Amino acid sequence: NAGVTQTPKFRILKIGQSMTLQCAQDMNHNYMYWYRQDPGMGLKLIYYSVGAGITDKGEVPNGYNVSRSTTEDFPLRLELAAPSQTSVYFCASSDPGTVYEQYFGPGTRLTVT
Amino acid sequence: KNEVEQSPQNLTAQEGEFITINCSYSVGISALHWLQQHPGGGIVSLFMLSSGKKKHGRLIATINIQEKHSSLHITASHPRDSAVYICAIGEGGSEKLVFGKGTKLTVNP
């Protein structure tokens, strides 16, 4: 199993550009999450999904959108990128049968200039 | 809203020392997670516990539900233990976690 994969690993965007961060998992987990990690801060939840077709906002959803058309994939869309979105983004998945133990992807380091 | 506090923020130790990292939270939880983030950035789950104590190799995690406190201990620390250790809590029945800011551990040879 590859676990949770994320692409790209690094990206530099100009202010106002848009992009999609890809996330996929091959563990058949129902639950998937997007977090951002800023220096010196804890992980903050952006959006999460409890199954295909179901998504909900987390703590910091502004400026982002998600979709979940399949169990495997959970892309995160940034529209009109701003410098405040410079961060490291982590995707994770979990299975409620394991009391929500989360498996993390390797992260995407995004810089908006 | 549950708050997760970790201490210390930074910790430097000599190889072989016994390490303790603390985590406290403010309201009831369903489970507490300890995670390790390597210098390269990857995050892995170390422990998930809702009561008592768990041990894996040189790592031991304990939780006191009444005191809303957990500790992560590392025995015979080694430079490869250098990482950020993150405490996270799952609130009752919730699939979402609340994360602490992490403790950066540096173990010198």
Side-chain angles (χ1 to χ4, degrees):
Chain A
N1 286 355
V4 180
T5 58
Q6 289 182 240
T7 55
K9 283 190 170 53
F10 304 94
R11 183 72 186 267
I12 298 174
L13 278 182
K14 292 192 187 308
I15 295 171
Q17 287 185 322
S18 300
M19 76 164 294
T20 299
L21 280 64
Q22 301 292 344
C23 174
Q25 53 92 10
D26 61 0
M27 296 174 282
N28 203 33
H29 286 169
N30 286 327
Y31 293 72
M32 295 188 75
Y33 313 82
W34 274 107
Y35 298 99
R36 59 178 288 172
Q37 185 180 42
D38 300 316
M41 303 298 291
L43 288 154
K44 301 287 187 190
L45 181 65
I46 305 170
Y47 270 96
Y48 68 104
S49 169
V50 300
I54 306 168
T55 62
D56 206 351
K57 295 177 181 178
E59 189 179 354
V60 290
N62 291 346
Y64 307 94
N65 274 302
V66 293
S67 59
R68 184 97 182 270
S69 56
T70 67
T71 300
E72 294 78 19
D73 299 298
F74 190 40
L76 177 72
R77 178 84 177 160
L78 278 73
E79 305 282 2
L80 299 174
S84 60
Q85 293 177 304
T86 294
S87 190
V88 181
Y89 292 84
F90 288 95
C91 179
S93 70
S94 70
D95 178 351
T98 60
V99 196
Y100 308 116
E101 179 179 3
Q102 296 197 5
Y103 297 80
F104 286 81
T108 294
R109 186 174 294 274
L110 175 68
T111 302
V112 182
T113 62
Chain B
K1 182 183 171 185
N2 222 335
E3 301 287 339
V4 180
E5 297 289 335
Q6 287 187 238
S7 63
Q9 279 187 293
N10 293 282
L11 182 55
T12 301
Q14 288 300 121
E15 184 172 356
E17 285 185 1
F18 181 83
I19 303 292
T20 295
I21 299 170
N22 297 299
C23 175
S24 61
Y25 52 93
S26 51
V27 298
I29 63 171
S30 56
L32 184 141
H33 302 245
W34 282 103
L35 306 142
Q36 181 190 54
Q37 184 170 25
H38 290 283
I43 301 173
V44 296
S45 179
L46 296 174
F47 294 104
M48 190 170 53
L49 64 167
S50 53
S51 64
K53 176 178 167 178
K54 286 191 175 179
K55 184 175 188 290
H56 184 252
R58 295 178 295 104
L59 273 61
I60 303 165
T62 63
I63 188 168
N64 184 317
I65 297 295
Q66 286 73 33
E67 295 186 4
K68 297 185 175 60
H69 181 269
S70 174
S71 293
L72 176 68
H73 305 286
I74 305 175
T75 61
S77 59
H78 190 275
R80 65 174 174 266
D81 297 324
S82 297
V84 175
Y85 292 85
I86 301 169
C87 173
I89 57 170
E91 295 172 309
S94 172
E95 62 278 4
K96 295 183 285 186
L97 298 181
V98 178
F99 293 82
K101 294 181 179 179
T103 295
K104 184 176 181 181
L105 171 66
T106 303
V107 182
N108 294 317

